[in-house]
Amino acid sequence: SQQGEEDPQALSIQEGENATMNCSYKTSINNLQWYRQNSGRGLVHLILIRSNEREKHSGRLRVTLDTSKKSSSLLITASRAADTASYFCATDDQAGTALIFGKGTTLSVSS
Amino acid sequence: GAGVSQSPSNKVTEKGKDVELRCDPISGHTALYWYRQSLGQGLEFLIYFQGNSAPDKSGLPSDRFSAERTGGSVSTLTIQRTQQEDSAVYLCASSLIGRGNGEAFFGQGTRLTVV
């Protein structure tokens, strides 16, 4: 079952620019998480935002959550070439059991 | 251990053979997830274990796929009579808090190629 859907599918920017990725989901959630994946292998957790939170920061990352629109955004400020990766949002599923991922946004940052 | 460990890293098998993929989660993590990722695609949920509860098998694509978790620790994903469409990276993750409420730690995956 697909819960989250990221937009855009691909994003290309220059170093120093900001990158914004969006995630929409279908059903009520307890929390939403963002992950990063380099080179198609293991994912790394970036940030978790709970359903009663609206905004959260971690370093150059800013995540917002709008439960009324069932959407979240991930903003990476002052991007670097090392930020090149795929970014996924993940939510608990309808049954409140598993962690379900979207299809991801591929970010390319060129120097 | 320091993190989630998966073995083997790569597996090439002939069509029709059975394969077993292993996942060693972080000690003390009660939740364990298996996912499948085809080239350039998102993560497809397969199965979820939480403590001693019955696993959530709702993501398994066919009855050729099964998984077990022994003693609440190591997990094995078994694919019987492999098909070419089973070729993918199989990812395992564990979490201290389950039900999607906590950070999941991922292994590096097993790349399965069925020829």
Side-chain angles (χ1 to χ4, degrees):
Chain A
S1 58
Q2 193 71 46
Q3 171 71 311
E5 198 76 29
E6 290 88 345
D7 169 65
Q9 290 187 353
L11 181 61
S12 293
I13 59 175
Q14 298 286 320
E15 259 191 333
E17 294 180 337
N18 296 341
T20 299
M21 289 159 269
N22 303 296
C23 169
S24 59
Y25 55 92
K26 298 175 184 175
T27 64
S28 296
I29 59 172
N30 294 312
N31 59 70
L32 185 144
Q33 304 183 42
W34 284 91
Y35 287 79
R36 184 175 94 173
Q37 183 180 40
N38 292 87
S39 306
R41 286 296 186 130
L43 280 74
V44 175
H45 180 264
L46 294 176
I47 199 163
L48 180 154
I49 185 166
R50 304 205 181 278
S51 60
N52 61 354
E53 296 176 308
R54 291 297 167 259
E55 188 171 313
K56 204 162 183 179
H57 296 254
S58 177
R60 293 183 297 111
L61 306 180
R62 173 179 167 247
V63 169
T64 62
L65 179 64
D66 187 335
T67 53
S68 66
K69 295 181 179 179
K70 292 187 170 58
S71 68
S72 173
S73 68
L74 170 66
L75 168 68
I76 304 174
T77 60
S79 63
R80 306 166 182 169
D83 294 329
T84 295
S86 291
Y87 292 82
F88 296 88
C89 67
T91 61
D92 47 313
D93 71 352
Q94 296 179 39
T97 55
L99 188 60
I100 304 297
F101 286 77
K103 295 183 178 180
T105 292
T106 300
L107 174 66
S108 178
V109 182
S110 54
S111 54
Chain B
V4 177
S5 177
Q6 290 188 246
S7 59
S9 295
N10 292 282
K11 175 73 176 178
V12 180
T13 190
E14 293 181 351
K15 179 182 173 181
K17 300 281 190 182
D18 297 352
V19 294
E20 283 190 353
L21 312 180
R22 178 186 168 105
C23 174
D24 281 273
I26 294 173
S27 178
H29 280 194
T30 60
L32 188 147
Y33 309 86
W34 280 99
Y35 298 90
R36 177 170 72 174
Q37 186 176 33
S38 300
L39 188 62
Q41 300 298 309
L43 275 71
E44 177 187 4
F45 166 70
L46 297 177
I47 189 168
Y48 163 66
F49 294 90
Q50 176 63 52
N52 295 321
S53 302
D56 176 357
K57 304 179 181 179
S58 61
L60 294 178
S62 77
D63 58 9
R64 295 188 295 105
F65 289 72
S66 63
E68 62 178 19
R69 188 179 184 190
T70 54
S73 181
V74 172
S75 178
T76 302
L77 177 69
T78 301
I79 308 173
Q80 296 179 311
R81 305 181 301 282
T82 52
Q83 304 294 313
Q84 288 186 330
E85 60 263 29
D86 299 335
S87 295
V89 175
Y90 289 81
L91 293 162
C92 172
S94 70
S95 179
L96 186 61
I97 303 171
R99 305 188 182 281
N101 288 326
E103 175 183 354
F105 293 82
F106 279 80
Q108 289 302 299
T110 294
R111 185 179 300 279
L112 175 66
T113 304
V114 182
V115 297

